[in-house]
Amino acid sequence: MTNQGIGQSVRRKEDFRFITGQGHYTDDINRPGQLHAAFLRSPHAFAKIRAIRLDTAKKMPGVVAIYTGQDVAADKVGGLICGWTVKDKKGDPHKAPRHDIIAIDHVRHVGDQVAVVIAQSLSQAKDAAEAIEVDYDVLTPVVDVVTALKPGAPQVHPDAPGNLCYDWEFGDKAATEAAFAKAAHVTRIDLLNNRLSPNPMEPRSAIGEYDPGTDTTTVYTTSQNPHVLRLILCAFVFGLPEHKVRVIAPDVGGGFGSKIFNYPEETVCVWAARKLKKPVKWTSDRTEAFLTDAHGRDHVTHAELAIDKDGKFLALRVDTKANMGAYLSTFASAVPTYLYALLLAGQYTTPAVYAEVKAVFTNTTPVDAYRGAGRPEATYVVERIVEAAARELKMDPVELRKKNFVPVDAFPYQTPVACVYDSGQYAKALDEACKAADYAGFAKRKAESAKKGKLRGIGFCAYIEACGIAPSSVVGSLGAGVGLWESGQIRFNATGSVFVYTGSHSHGQGHETTFAQIVSDKLGVPIENIEVVHGDTAQVPMGMGTYGSRSLAVGGSALMRAADKIIEKGKRIAAHLMEASVDDVVFDKGTFSVKGTDKQVPMAQVAFTAYVPHNYPADLEPGLEASAFYDPVNFTFPAGVHIAEVEIDSDTGVTTVANWVAVDDFGKVINPMIVEGQVHGGIAQGIGQALLEGVVYDKESGQLLTASFLDYCMPRADNLPSYKVGMIETPCPHNPLGVKGCGEAGAIAAPAALMNAITDALGTEEITMPATPLKVWKVIQSRHLAAAAE
Amino acid sequence: MTISVTMTVNGQSVTRDVEPRTLLVQFLRENLGMTGTHVGCDTSQCGACVVHVNGTSVKSCTILAAQAQGAKVTTVEGLAQDGKLHPMQEAFRENHALQCGFCTPGMIMSAIDLVQRNPNPSEETVRHELEGNLCRCTGYHNIVKAVMAGAQAMRG
Ligand code: FES
Ligand code: FES
């Protein structure tokens, strides 16, 4: 027992099926009589559909049906929705133009759905899709935010004039202006936060199935939040009752945000399955994934930091243009606003912050939450500008940060941008990271690199994130269309084993182990006797799913509440069995006992008695199960410091990550092995963003130039270092487990740390992500030329 | 038009009539219903589909089933013998070298082939050799650890 509870690196319960090839991912599932869907997609970034000719395609072997946007419209299927309404500066709601599941008259990005073929086999469906003829009037597209905002730019949607989704502001403008007016120094920076493709290794997939006998629709799909998807499909898209729709998200091969959203494809599978009364399956190929999985980031930002003569930050002013793509995805509007500007105080006491954000439509794939969602963008702004300020002021970046950190005795700390930080030890994390990175020895290492003709740099990132998303009343007041509680249920079986049901979803995070550990720890049941069930709306009563590092802080807390109810009921049963008063019964490590006596009964006996209640309290219901909902009172605020050290080959421009140190504070850690794994994966994605990855559209044609793993550079084993991951624990004071969340930290911290290291090595801030060898080499060359000219 | 393809998969002889364009990975997943081998891309980049053909690792999305006519194919489902996991499978579990598990079958198959060719690989060799296998979850740190540990276990 002792090696299974909270704080232990228990090996994962889910691994056996994965290492033996016995996982059940959506594409592994096949239903009797199943048909296959293939989409014909737009080859143009922006075009009017003039005519679609299906005659040839319809006669192809195996074709069962071909549908276009006209068929969808005829069936009055609702468009896809955005679940968070952001109000602009004037208080008007954002523009959310209609997003049809198959395009009706216009296509607005390369890959937009034009028609779907349903056939007996996938190859037949694909062959027939190729035989569909479409006449387009090709229009001039716009792919970047700067061009899209210019007068005379192509208009992506007639109902979003100027391509503006919203023009939004946050923070105290007057206080910020006043602070700038008295600043001794102002640091300014222009930043591009490059567009990324999430690329979970499992492509999206869905099967829609309809049972006319019970009028029930079942959807198997790659979702991070099956209940939320059910809610959207029922309440907004199809107008179906929720109790007649079941969403199953079985093993899911990674998500990183991209599998939160409601997409056209699964919606089409459901619609077609109901029409044809046959299961309809679609699985994305990687090209489709690049074209249609919601992208992440894509911000253009100008920021200014006002500093007094002693190096204290006075105010931060930020102007951001955020690319929304062609349509407003499920939670897209919240990402560059409430998940972004609220974090712009960083770990610092900056008294005034003001941000303006314009969200902009373009002829590109929709952009939505990707690992970190808004918080990496905020961290990138804060930590790049702080490092730049240190350089301008010729101050040590560590000292400048320490001078401005929220001190340990200031918690709970109210920031000027609405957050109340609950706990933290920012200087401690920085000190430990500096020690682990041997910051003191950096100058020597730099000199050694210089002897070899190499440039060496070190970069810091002290990040903060808001996780444990989120208090429902708070997000409701900010425009969210949902509550962000989580539910959990614990059900004992008569023989003492336990089912744990959670509304959050695991797609790599290891809930089946971590959640079993917390229940084991609390109720004293060995983890091998606990089965964690998730991802099926017919089994799990309710749920809000997994994103924003919320599963343990919110979902785990719900389970703790449910466990409390189990203990309370167990005490009454135990008291009856031991002929004692309930008030004298205590529970510890799986055993009920009577205070001050040696009387005791184990949990298993209590569970058995609950189901075989022959000798049982007269006023008590049989059975031992409890469910609970948990609505957090605040966000959690994981924070930490990452330090990157790089060596750059001046001849080739190749950057090698020489050392990586992370010291994170996630509050209480349940399974250190799993937490470290989350940090590793996050860092890799962050390094990917800074060094390798970037979605590129051709400006003229709007074609996606990075639509395969040949053109989009994913981090590979030989691009990355091993990481030194350390932790400090400042428990979260407001949830029962004291946990804060760890899933996104690496991706939030890494880009700024790495770019600070690269700009340190190069001696200029003028380089954008990804810092490819070509870009780095060009910077080095231009400096050589400049030096030669002097 | 179909052709008849026969091969030995995990020690069992199988014959199916398939379309000539059927890829080996489709043959395994769709014709044999063996879904342990995954498909993560359409350009032979990700390695989720790696199996062994006559003892060496092959991306099963890059060859036709017909090209494996008469071959001995091993998939991740065929690694455990008599209920005992292969040491590389054990090493992946022990070192938390998987999160979502989607890249894992291909990763394990590549790792075994790597160790068969390099019984005592350096970290650098492991990183270099795994270049054809993408993992989006783990950042490779624990995969590298697992492959080194698996190599040691395979050396006995
Ligand atoms: S499926 Fe990606 S390499 Fe074979
Ligand atoms: S474990 Fe998810 S892709 Fe490797």
Side-chain angles (χ1 to χ4, degrees):
Chain A
M1 273 304 300
T2 47
N3 59 356
Q4 296 188 329
I6 288 175
Q8 301 298 319
S9 288
V10 177
R11 297 303 183 263
R12 298 202 319 170
K13 286 164 70 76
E14 45 271 83
D15 283 358
F16 180 77
R17 67 179 187 271
F18 296 134
I19 56 179
T20 53
Q22 300 177 95
H24 288 287
Y25 301 89
T26 303
D27 189 55
D28 300 341
I29 298 168
N30 292 296
R31 303 294 302 158
Q34 167 184 291
L35 303 171
H36 296 264
F39 287 88
L40 176 70
R41 298 184 178 281
S42 170
H44 304 295
F46 197 15
K48 184 169 166 33
I49 300 171
R50 212 153 20 93
I52 304 177
R53 283 183 296 280
L54 304 174
D55 319 343
T56 317
K58 275 194 169 156
K59 290 191 214 108
M60 305 266 296
V63 172
V64 175
I66 305 182
Y67 300 120
T68 67
Q70 301 299 340
D71 301 302
V72 174
D75 267 14
K76 302 203 167 24
V77 177
L80 303 185
I81 59 143
C82 176
W84 194 310
T85 303
V86 168
K87 295 212 169 125
D88 69 9
K89 282 178 180 167
K90 289 187 255 149
D92 294 334
H94 65 210
K95 301 280 191 305
R98 194 176 158 89
H99 185 188
D100 289 297
I101 58 173
I102 303 179
I104 293 180
D105 46 13
H106 282 81
V107 286
R108 293 189 168 85
H109 66 95
V110 175
D112 218 347
Q113 303 72 230
V114 176
V116 63
V117 180
I118 318 282
Q120 300 291 346
S121 79
L122 179 59
S123 38
Q124 288 169 334
K126 285 186 174 174
D127 288 346
E130 278 186 26
I132 298 173
E133 294 166 43
V134 187
D135 295 337
Y136 295 99
D137 284 335
V138 178
L139 304 170
T140 305
V142 60
V143 298
D144 70 284
V145 288
V146 177
T147 314
L149 286 173
K150 286 192 178 139
Q155 295 296 294
V156 180
H157 293 278
D159 43 354
N163 295 317
L164 203 56
C165 175
Y166 52 75
D167 180 3
W168 178 87
E169 66 183 340
F170 202 72
D172 189 335
K173 189 176 184 178
T176 304
E177 300 293 326
F180 270 88
K182 62 172 198 219
H185 181 86
V186 176
T187 295
R188 298 180 172 82
I189 198 163
D190 286 293
L191 297 169
L192 290 181
N193 205 298
N194 45 330
R195 181 187 276 240
L196 302 174
S197 178
N199 277 321
M201 292 317 299
E202 180 207 24
R204 287 190 293 121
S205 179
I207 306 169
E209 185 170 3
Y210 179 63
D211 177 356
T214 57
D215 188 29
T216 304
T217 304
T218 303
V219 195
Y220 300 83
T221 188
T222 48
S223 175
Q224 299 179 212
N225 34 217
H227 291 87
V228 176
L229 182 63
R230 182 182 67 172
L231 176 69
I232 296 174
L233 289 176
C234 289
F236 298 97
V237 182
F238 292 117
L240 292 169
E242 274 181 278
H243 67 291
K244 290 294 184 187
V245 175
R246 174 181 184 184
V247 177
I248 301 172
D251 287 330
V252 172
F256 315 112
S258 69
K259 292 172 181 168
I260 297 172
F261 321 120
N262 176 207
Y263 286 95
E265 293 84 358
E266 75 248 2
T267 315
V268 167
C269 286
V270 170
W271 172 66
R274 290 175 56 85
K275 257 178 124 62
L276 298 167
K277 310 213 175 353
K278 286 266 176 74
V280 174
K281 179 176 186 174
W282 168 80
T283 298
S284 174
D285 59 33
R286 186 57 59 180
T287 310
E288 287 182 292
F290 275 107
L291 291 170
T292 63
D293 287 6
H295 291 167
R297 322 286 191 250
D298 204 346
H299 284 195
V300 178
T301 294
H302 176 77
E304 301 182 346
L305 179 65
I307 308 168
D308 77 7
K309 61 174 183 7
D310 302 320
K312 288 285 270 183
F313 304 155
L314 297 174
L316 178 70
R317 187 156 60 194
V318 175
D319 178 272
T320 292
K321 297 171 183 72
N323 201 332
M324 295 287 101
Y327 305 100
L328 205 53
S329 176
T330 315
F331 289 109
S333 56
V335 175
T337 50
Y338 296 108
L339 294 176
Y340 172 67
L342 274 67
L343 278 304
L344 286 171
Q347 297 188 0
Y348 309 108
T349 54
T350 317
V353 175
Y354 175 69
E356 285 181 287
V357 179
K358 289 189 176 68
V360 184
F361 291 110
T362 60
N363 294 110
T364 61
T365 300
V367 179
D368 205 326
Y370 166 59
R371 201 171 196 167
R375 292 152 292 167
E377 295 91 320
T379 299
Y380 193 61
V381 172
V382 174
E383 289 302 289
R384 283 292 306 273
I385 203 166
V386 165
E387 197 97 354
R391 288 168 191 166
E392 287 179 0
L393 297 169
K394 304 214 175 347
M395 277 184 73
D396 179 33
V398 170
E399 289 315 311
L400 181 63
R401 284 186 172 85
K402 281 190 176 169
K403 195 185 264 289
N404 287 282
F405 276 158
V406 174
V408 269
D409 56 7
F411 294 96
Y413 179 80
Q414 172 71 59
T415 74
V417 272
C419 289
V420 180
Y421 295 167
D422 55 8
S423 63
Q425 304 178 67
Y426 305 149
K428 182 174 179 198
L430 182 54
D431 285 338
E432 292 200 4
C434 284
K435 210 185 305 154
D438 184 24
Y439 181 41
F442 173 71
K444 194 156 152 246
R445 294 193 295 280
K446 189 174 171 81
E448 277 159 19
S449 294
K451 270 192 233 150
K452 294 183 286 173
K454 301 206 169 162
L455 303 170
R456 204 174 185 94
I458 193 163
F460 301 82
C461 177
Y463 72 93
I464 188 159
E465 45 174 336
C467 295
I469 291 175
S472 296
S473 61
V474 174
V475 294
S477 71
L478 301 177
V482 289
L484 288 171
W485 43 263
E486 194 47 87
S487 90
Q489 190 177 31
I490 297 173
R491 186 193 299 161
F492 274 79
N493 297 307
T495 49
S497 68
V498 175
F499 282 114
V500 169
Y501 300 88
T502 175
S504 67
H505 186 275
S506 180
H507 29 281
Q509 296 89 339
H511 291 10
E512 287 167 45
T513 305
T514 306
F515 284 22
Q517 276 179 264
I518 61 172
V519 172
S520 169
D521 196 272
K522 180 102 176 173
L523 296 179
V525 179
I527 67 166
E528 51 277 16
N529 290 350
I530 299 173
E531 186 74 14
V532 175
V533 179
H534 65 94
D536 181 352
T537 60
Q539 290 198 70
V540 179
M542 276 295 163
M544 289 308 296
T546 288
Y547 37 81
S549 304
R550 71 190 300 272
S551 294
L552 195 57
V554 191
S557 296
L559 287 172
M560 287 298 96
R561 290 277 168 84
D564 285 335
K565 294 184 188 178
I566 294 277
I567 293 168
E568 284 318 302
K569 183 163 182 182
K571 278 184 182 170
R572 295 186 61 186
I573 300 168
H576 184 86
L577 291 175
M578 295 186 286
E579 295 173 346
S581 151
V582 181
D583 298 334
D584 293 334
V585 176
V586 290
F587 178 72
D588 186 40
K589 299 194 177 65
T591 304
F592 295 92
S593 53
V594 181
K595 260 186 269 176
T597 74
D598 58 0
K599 284 193 199 170
Q600 55 180 45
V601 292
M603 182 57 111
Q605 191 186 338
V606 166
F608 180 80
T609 307
Y611 290 101
V612 188
H614 297 166
N615 173 20
Y616 202 71
D619 56 348
L620 197 62
E621 286 176 14
L624 191 58
E625 63 172 350
S627 50
F629 284 68
Y630 183 81
D631 202 335
V633 297
N634 189 0
F635 292 84
T636 61
F637 294 94
V641 171
H642 286 222
I643 303 179
E645 194 166 319
V646 299
E647 193 176 61
I648 295 175
D649 184 326
S650 339
D651 295 332
T652 61
V654 170
T655 300
T656 306
V657 181
N659 194 22
W660 199 282
V661 166
V663 175
D664 297 297
D665 185 352
F666 300 131
K668 199 97 190 104
V669 169
I670 308 299
N671 184 321
M673 175 191 82
I674 289 177
V675 170
E676 284 174 22
Q678 290 293 308
V679 176
H680 297 158
I683 295 171
Q685 288 179 353
I687 294 178
Q689 168 163 32
L691 276 190
L692 307 164
E693 299 177 42
V695 170
V696 181
Y697 284 94
D698 182 74
K699 284 215 173 208
E700 309 273 292
S701 67
Q703 290 297 323
L704 178 60
L705 302 179
T706 49
S708 80
F709 287 145
L710 290 163
D711 306 298
Y712 184 91
C713 189
M714 289 277 280
R716 289 161 198 271
D718 59 353
N719 300 126
L720 298 172
S722 288
Y723 320 105
K724 293 188 193 117
V725 174
M727 276 165 223
I728 60 173
E729 273 193 20
T730 319
C732 171
H734 59 77
N735 66 44
L737 287 161
V739 298
K740 296 181 176 176
C742 67
E744 299 163 293
I748 292 171
L754 190 48
M755 291 309 288
N756 282 339
I758 290 172
T759 52
D760 180 44
L762 294 175
T764 172
E765 306 291 333
E766 304 292 314
I767 185 163
T768 56
M769 299 191 287
T772 58
L774 179 62
K775 278 193 209 164
V776 171
W777 182 83
K778 280 185 175 167
V779 169
I780 294 168
Q781 289 305 306
S782 67
R783 292 173 73 79
H784 283 171
L785 289 178
E790 269 166 24
Chain B
M1 188 192 103
T2 59
I3 53 168
S4 173
V5 175
T6 300
M7 64 184 83
T8 306
V9 178
N10 299 334
Q12 276 204 309
S13 175
V14 293
T15 300
R16 294 288 186 280
D17 291 333
V18 299
E19 276 192 76
R21 63 177 163 178
T22 305
L23 299 168
L24 177 57
V25 68
Q26 292 173 316
F27 184 81
L28 294 169
R29 289 182 58 83
E30 290 158 29
N31 297 92
L32 302 183
M34 297 177 64
T35 55
T37 304
H38 297 154
V39 177
C41 74
D42 43 17
T43 53
S44 293
Q45 298 284 301
C46 77
C49 62
V50 171
V51 299
H52 292 177
V53 177
N54 297 328
T56 47
S57 63
V58 165
K59 287 181 170 170
S60 63
C61 72
T62 60
I63 71 167
L64 297 168
Q67 289 173 281
Q69 174 77 21
K72 281 195 171 54
V73 175
T74 307
T75 71
V76 71
E77 290 105 324
L79 286 180
Q81 293 295 326
D82 309 321
K84 206 172 153 334
L85 292 176
H86 188 284
M88 194 58 81
Q89 291 173 307
E90 281 289 7
F92 267 61
R93 177 162 67 181
E94 185 56 29
N95 290 282
H96 186 35
L98 60 148
Q99 292 181 22
C100 77
F102 196 78
C103 71
T104 311
M107 213 45 103
I108 289 176
M109 298 311 284
S110 288
I112 292 170
D113 183 55
L114 179 173
V115 174
Q116 280 166 356
R117 287 179 289 108
N118 294 282
N120 194 3
S122 65
E123 176 179 337
E124 201 185 334
T125 305
V126 172
R127 286 188 179 273
H128 183 69
E129 288 272 336
L130 287 182
E131 195 241 13
N133 289 77
L134 292 176
C135 173
R136 193 53 148 170
C137 298
T138 64
Y140 304 101
H141 182 109
N142 286 343
I143 290 179
V144 174
K145 254 170 64 183
V147 176
M148 309 274 291
Q152 194 176 21
M154 282 169 71
R155 289 197 300 274

